């Protein structure tokens, strides 16, 4: 997908998606991200530069630390994914990878919600559900705190809900 929007290409990498999630509640440096993600500082820096180059993160602060300069970045808030039609398969692949990784870390004692559905509903029901799902996602993002904040628990949320094109019977992938 060489024609894809640079932001979509940046979002299509599972590690960069995790970085954006981690920086949502507050700024983090490449070193902090590297520790949290268990990757090298160089790799975290490279991915951070990619995110910055397409405007998905911004420099939040520079500070002196251990005799050097530490740059801390934050996620630019907004929802660049919800209404994007281009690159949907690329984003779905990245979300799928992230979901698999998170599912492997699922707390066996924790309550969760799992849904997979292809439903036919009235347009009004879809509009209401889409609005409510967006509100729930916004509530969780608003409640997010930096990793390992005392009194918090890590949760995984992957959501991709959208109307489908109608495929005539006998012409779909299952035929």
């Amino acid at each position: 997908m060489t024609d894809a929007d640079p932001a979509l290409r940046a979002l299509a990498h599972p590690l960069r998606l995790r970085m954006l999630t981690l920086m949502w509640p507050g700024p983090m440096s490449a070193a902090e991200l590297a520790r949290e993600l268990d990757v090298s500082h160089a790799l975290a820096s490279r991915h951070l530069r990619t995110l910055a180059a397409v405007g998905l993160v911004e420099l939040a602060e520079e500070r002196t630390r251990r005799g050097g300069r530490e740059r801390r970045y934050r996620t630019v808030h907004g929802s660049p994914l919800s209404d994007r039609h281009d690159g949907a398969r690329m984003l779905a692949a990245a979300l799928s990878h992230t979901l698999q990784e998170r599912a492997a870390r699922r707390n066996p004692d924790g309550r969760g919600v799992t849904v997979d559905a292809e439903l036919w509903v009235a347009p009004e029901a879809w509009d209401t559900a889409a609005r409510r799902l967006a509100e729930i996602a916004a509530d969780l993002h608003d409640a997010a705190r930096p990793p390992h904040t005392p009194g918090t628990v890590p949760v995984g949320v992957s959501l991709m809900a959208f109307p489908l094109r109608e495929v005539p019977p006998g012409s779909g992938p299952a035929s």
Side-chain angles (χ1 to χ4, degrees), residues 81-140:
L81 304 178
S82 294
D83 295 320
R84 298 295 300 254
H85 300 283
D86 55 334
R89 285 185 179 197
M90 187 170 37
L91 289 170
L95 289 172
S96 174
H97 181 277
T98 300
L99 179 58
Q100 289 178 36
E101 185 275 328
R102 286 183 186 148
R105 296 186 299 138
R106 184 174 182 168
N107 180 343
D109 299 324
R111 197 173 94 207
V113 176
T114 301
V115 177
D116 179 62
E118 183 172 324
L119 310 167
W120 290 73
V121 299
E124 302 80 26
W126 165 247
D127 290 343
T128 299
R131 181 186 46 76
R132 289 174 57 204
L133 290 169
E135 289 170 358
I136 290 167
D139 288 348
L140 286 170

Side-chain angles (χ1 to χ4, degrees), residues 4-19:
D5 176 321
L8 284 173
R9 282 199 314 268
L11 289 168
H13 194 287
L15 189 62
R16 290 193 286 262
L17 279 177
R18 285 197 63 203
M19 292 173 88

Side-chain angles (χ1 to χ4, degrees), residues 43-165:
L43 183 61
S45 292
R46 183 168 51 98
H47 283 300
L48 200 50
R49 283 191 302 275
T50 299
L51 292 169
V54 296
L56 294 172
V57 299
E58 62 189 7
L59 183 63
E61 63 182 324
E62 276 190 76
R63 60 187 186 184
T64 303
R65 186 167 171 95
R66 297 183 186 152
R69 299 294 296 165
E70 178 185 57
R71 290 185 171 103
R72 300 182 85 225
Y73 292 83
R74 70 174 154 245
T75 300
V76 174
H77 290 193
S79 184
L81 304 178
S82 294
D83 295 320
R84 298 295 300 254
H85 300 283
D86 55 334
R89 285 185 179 197
M90 187 170 37
L91 289 170
L95 289 172
S96 174
H97 181 277
T98 300
L99 179 58
Q100 289 178 36
E101 185 275 328
R102 286 183 186 148
R105 296 186 299 138
R106 184 174 182 168
N107 180 343
D109 299 324
R111 197 173 94 207
V113 176
T114 301
V115 177
D116 179 62
E118 183 172 324
L119 310 167
W120 290 73
V121 299
E124 302 80 26
W126 165 247
D127 290 343
T128 299
R131 181 186 46 76
R132 289 174 57 204
L133 290 169
E135 289 170 358
I136 290 167
D139 288 348
L140 286 170
H141 276 96
D142 290 346
R145 300 295 170 254
H148 310 288
T149 298
T152 63
V153 295
V155 297
V157 178
S158 296
L159 174 64
M160 195 173 192
F162 44 84
L164 299 170
R165 280 190 327 257

